[in-house]
Amino acid sequence: MAVWGIHDGVGDKLPYVFGCKEPVIRFSVAKTPQRQAAEITRRLLPTVRNDAAILAAERADREARLARWRATLERA
């Protein structure tokens, strides 16, 4: 089993467009719960945090552009 689709895109652009790695962790019954937890902590969480920061900045940038666009339309 694998964990996919951790992040949503921004607008109509997918996360990879912004350099996000969209990490994948594979689980199996052969791995102990402790090993799976260690892999999440070591491999998944740092990348998820980084990707979330990238996407938050892109969303804020997009909202600012849309607000400027709306203001221009209202002035016109």
Side-chain angles (χ1 to χ4, degrees):
M1 175 172 59
V3 178
W4 296 91
I6 293 170
H7 300 301
D8 291 328
V10 177
D12 60 347
K13 296 178 183 172
L14 296 174
Y16 76 87
V17 171
F18 306 106
C20 293
K21 296 181 180 173
E22 292 191 278
V24 174
I25 296 288
R26 298 193 192 294
F27 294 99
S28 74
V29 294
K31 293 180 185 177
T32 65
Q34 293 82 7
R35 182 173 170 199
Q36 291 173 359
E39 286 186 15
I40 289 170
T41 302
R42 182 178 54 83
R43 294 178 42 215
L44 187 66
L45 291 181
T47 304
V48 168
R49 285 185 188 117
N50 186 54
D51 288 355
I54 290 169
L55 293 171
E58 290 297 334
R59 284 187 187 98
D61 211 29
R62 181 175 188 266
E63 289 300 316
R65 282 193 312 273
L66 289 173
R68 287 191 302 271
W69 179 72
R70 278 189 229 103
T72 301
L73 287 176
E74 288 173 2
R75 283 192 302 266

